[in-house]
Amino acid sequence: MYYNGIYHFFYQYNPKGAVWGNIVWGHSVSKDMINWEALDSPIYPSQSFDKNGAWSGSATILHNNKPIILYTGVDPNDRQVQNYAVPANLSDPYLRKWIKPAGLNPVVDPDQGVNASAFRDPSTAWWLNGHWRMAVGSKRNHRGIAYLYRSRDFFHWVKAKHPLHSAPHTGMWECPDFYPVLLSGKQGLDTSVVGKHVKHVFKVSLDVTRYDYYTVGTYLTAKDRYVPDNTSVDGWAGLRYDYGNFYASKTFFDPAKKRRVLWGWVNESDSTSDDVKKGWAGIQAIPRTVWLDPNQRQLMQWPIQELETLRGKNVQIRHRMLRTGQHIEVKGITAAQVDVDVTFFIPSLDKVEPFNPSWSLTDAQLLCAKKGSNVHGGVGPFGLLALASKNLEEYTPVFFRIFKDSMRHVILLCSDARSSSLKDGLYKPSFAGFVDVDLADKKLSLRSLIDHSVVESFGAGGKTCITSRVYPKLAVLENAHLHAFNNGSQTIIVENLNAWSMKKPLRMN
């Protein structure tokens, strides 16, 4: 949340080790979302209503400009209940200490029809027609549910007759998020804004797949129901913020810069013993500004502008040809810690491969595994080789490949970790997503934030995003290299490539 000039970041944290357990709320503060100061835990198990756990939740700024937190506690009977906390001292700019009033907590108990073992993660609340509203994630059998609750005073909540939204065969909905976006423009909106000039986004983290999915649709305020557009699908065939390692995300409205900012958790892909050895596990992705794509079918995402303050030495490559099998090394930068932004020009689309009807348009990852960076194609694969060792024993390719079905071009973006490391015991998936873009200008852009063990990529200006965790053995520190490459028969032009060495590690861990 943003409060009186300070950004507050709260997160699930184990102060006793680099494994899951002993969960409390961590708390860090910043004036720019780049440089952070860690504070003591503000919320931890201490009362009967959170004795067995102080789990995730959300912050809301009330009308009197006072912040309040809703969070899930686990009671002595292992029932998940919803509690609130308020700052102990509003004159403290860092809001170090928080109070959980025993008299009113829990503010929401699961009633007889609610699965008390699957009832968590209250959303940021929104104000409408004299009542606050919030959503709580749950499930009934295999149906995912976001229960809706209303309150006049934020302390006495009543469950609505119908959920805000639900969908069959999706399992537990964790970390629900519900917010408005303007039909046009990048400006963000307060969570309570409604009207004909907005659409709404509903996002859930699916416990079954451990990925985040969202739909774009309409909030029917008279019925207090959310209805996805016919271009959005609930469940794992639907849209994702990020087609890689990215979960339990949360947005907030930043009133200082009139933007909506997305945070996402990027877990480890190595072994638990590796995490214990290094003493930490889990990072946050770079905060992203989110807004509605002009096509109104999906969101766009882009790293917050403040990240650019970390840019150091710059190297540019312009109007360079990439013929079949050719690599161009980007020299003069620190390739283990770099922000690279490149625009590729495709002189001709005549050589695109046909899109096989047996391939699924809902499983890009399977297609990426089949058509990797070393599999010769027509137009593509072309892109970047990140965190590459000198002789390419290790590298993480982030690349495009273009197909054509009977109606249109199909653009695949891959971030393939299979060749990322010579180490054993790692999870090295071929993450991928399709890119909904018109190739009228024959250009595709790619920005990758490369930071030692993470490659966070934004395709086509933020239409498709993929985050990979990788753990190279050779391509570390000064031994890491960065290349542009092309393994397609169609020559590709590197129209403009900018790479900046970054002044410090980019992410919180």
Side-chain angles (χ1 to χ4, degrees):
M1 70 175 183
Y2 178 86
Y3 183 70
N4 288 354
I6 302 290
Y7 294 100
H8 295 259
F9 178 59
F10 302 98
Y11 46 96
Q12 297 278 270
Y13 176 58
N14 179 2
K16 297 182 179 181
V19 295
W20 196 91
N22 310 300
I23 294 298
V24 304
W25 276 46
H27 184 195
S28 294
V29 291
S30 173
K31 292 185 177 179
D32 59 7
M33 284 194 282
I34 298 297
N35 302 285
W36 292 89
E37 179 182 348
L39 306 177
D40 291 340
S41 171
I43 297 175
Y44 48 86
S46 64
Q47 305 285 341
S48 62
F49 49 78
D50 64 6
K51 181 179 181 179
N52 288 343
W55 291 0
S56 193
S58 302
T60 301
I61 307 298
L62 300 179
H63 298 318
N64 56 8
N65 194 38
K66 292 182 179 179
I68 189 167
I69 282 173
L70 292 167
Y71 73 98
T72 298
V74 184
D75 72 11
N77 297 317
D78 285 332
R79 296 164 65 254
Q80 296 169 20
V81 298
Q82 314 314 318
N83 307 312
Y84 83 97
V86 291
N89 180 10
L90 284 172
S91 65
D92 173 12
Y94 284 3
L95 304 178
R96 291 174 175 87
K97 295 189 180 300
W98 290 68
I99 299 168
K100 303 177 292 186
L104 289 174
N105 276 316
V107 292
V108 176
D109 250 319
D111 64 26
Q112 192 172 2
V114 172
N115 182 346
S117 66
F119 180 61
R120 54 187 176 267
D121 310 337
S123 72
T124 293
W126 64 99
W127 177 261
L128 179 66
N129 297 333
H131 286 82
W132 288 104
R133 288 153 168 80
M134 70 163 169
V136 181
S138 188
K139 69 174 180 177
R140 184 186 298 125
N141 297 322
H142 299 292
R143 174 176 283 272
I145 299 173
Y147 287 115
L148 179 69
Y149 288 82
R150 302 188 189 101
S151 174
R152 290 187 182 274
D153 60 6
F154 218 91
F155 307 115
H156 302 88
W157 295 86
V158 176
K159 190 175 78 167
K161 184 178 179 181
H162 301 287
L164 177 68
H165 188 47
S166 70
H169 314 301
T170 52
M172 176 65 196
W173 284 3
E174 295 192 307
C175 306
D177 199 10
F178 185 59
Y179 57 91
V181 287
L182 282 171
L183 292 178
S184 62
K186 297 183 180 182
Q187 182 174 308
L189 297 171
D190 180 85
T191 309
S192 297
V193 172
V194 295
K196 294 183 178 180
H197 63 302
V198 307
K199 281 187 176 291
H200 272 74
V201 174
F202 180 74
K203 166 261 160 186
V204 291
S205 302
L206 290 190
D207 191 35
V208 175
T209 64
R210 307 300 286 178
Y211 297 130
D212 284 6
Y213 300 83
Y214 73 90
T215 55
V216 177
T218 301
Y219 179 29
L220 303 176
T221 56
K223 296 181 179 180
D224 254 346
R225 303 286 288 269
Y226 167 76
V227 179
D229 290 348
N230 59 13
T231 55
S232 283
V233 179
D234 286 305
W236 44 84
L239 295 164
R240 286 166 56 181
Y241 283 147
D242 192 295
Y243 291 85
N245 190 333
F246 192 92
Y247 191 69
S249 62
K250 176 68 186 169
T251 66
F252 76 100
F253 174 60
D254 176 7
K257 296 201 171 181
K258 300 291 190 294
R259 59 186 171 179
R260 182 156 290 271
V261 178
L262 168 68
W263 282 85
W265 170 46
V266 183
N267 201 5
E268 303 302 307
S269 295
D270 57 0
S271 67
T272 300
S273 59
D274 288 332
D275 297 340
V276 171
K277 185 176 180 180
K278 69 178 181 256
W280 60 272
I283 60 174
Q284 291 296 316
I286 294 298
R288 305 173 182 179
T289 303
V290 296
W291 67 96
L292 189 64
D293 187 301
N295 69 21
Q296 298 185 3
R297 295 190 299 266
Q298 68 166 92
L299 294 174
M300 303 285 286
Q301 303 168 64
W302 201 246
I304 58 169
Q305 190 174 4
E306 289 89 334
L307 181 68
E308 296 171 16
T309 63
L310 294 182
R311 286 174 172 174
K313 183 179 179 182
N314 173 240
V315 169
Q316 290 187 338
I317 296 174
R318 291 184 175 176
H319 306 297
R320 290 280 300 274
M321 296 179 68
L322 271 174
R323 295 184 173 87
T324 304
Q326 190 174 4
H327 294 189
I328 299 174
E329 183 167 3
V330 184
K331 297 182 178 180
I333 45 94
T334 307
Q337 195 171 291
V338 62
D339 180 353
V340 56
D341 196 349
V342 57
T343 299
F344 297 102
F345 176 71
I346 308 156
S348 171
L349 293 167
D350 292 343
K351 297 180 180 179
V352 294
E353 303 165 74
F355 188 83
N356 191 320
S358 68
W359 298 340
S360 171
L361 278 169
T362 61
D363 196 346
Q365 186 168 327
L366 185 64
L367 182 55
C368 180
K370 187 188 301 282
K371 297 278 189 177
S373 64
N374 287 324
V375 178
H376 181 80
V379 181
F382 62 88
L384 299 172
L385 300 180
L387 297 172
S389 59
K390 183 178 180 180
N391 297 315
L392 297 182
E393 301 95 338
E394 296 178 332
Y395 57 92
T396 299
V398 185
F399 61 92
F400 293 106
R401 194 178 192 116
I402 303 175
F403 304 90
K404 189 171 185 181
D405 64 14
S406 59
M407 302 290 292
R408 60 192 175 103
H409 289 103
V410 178
I411 299 118
L412 181 71
L413 175 64
C414 295
S415 181
D416 192 347
R418 290 177 296 176
S419 55
S420 63
S421 179
L422 297 176
K423 290 181 182 178
D424 295 325
L426 303 177
Y427 175 50
K428 298 188 287 188
S430 51
F431 286 136
F434 292 107
V435 189
D436 183 7
V437 67
D438 183 0
L439 288 176
D441 62 359
K442 297 181 181 177
K443 293 181 182 181
L444 281 171
S445 67
L446 175 64
R447 183 180 179 186
S448 289
L449 307 176
I450 301 163
D451 191 12
H452 299 282
S453 72
V454 59
V455 180
E456 190 173 351
S457 299
F458 302 79
K463 278 181 173 281
T464 301
C465 307
I466 308 177
T467 301
S468 292
R469 293 302 305 276
V470 294
Y471 307 88
K473 188 175 182 179
L474 304 177
V476 297
L477 301 175
E478 67 276 3
N479 294 319
H481 300 261
L482 174 66
H483 303 261
F485 82 99
N486 176 29
N487 279 334
S489 57
Q490 172 61 55
T491 296
I492 301 296
I493 309 296
V494 178
E495 186 173 87
N496 190 25
L497 183 150
N498 273 286
W500 295 268
S501 295
M502 302 302 273
K503 297 175 185 177
K504 72 171 193 176
L506 307 183
R507 292 160 184 82
M508 298 170 67
N509 61 36

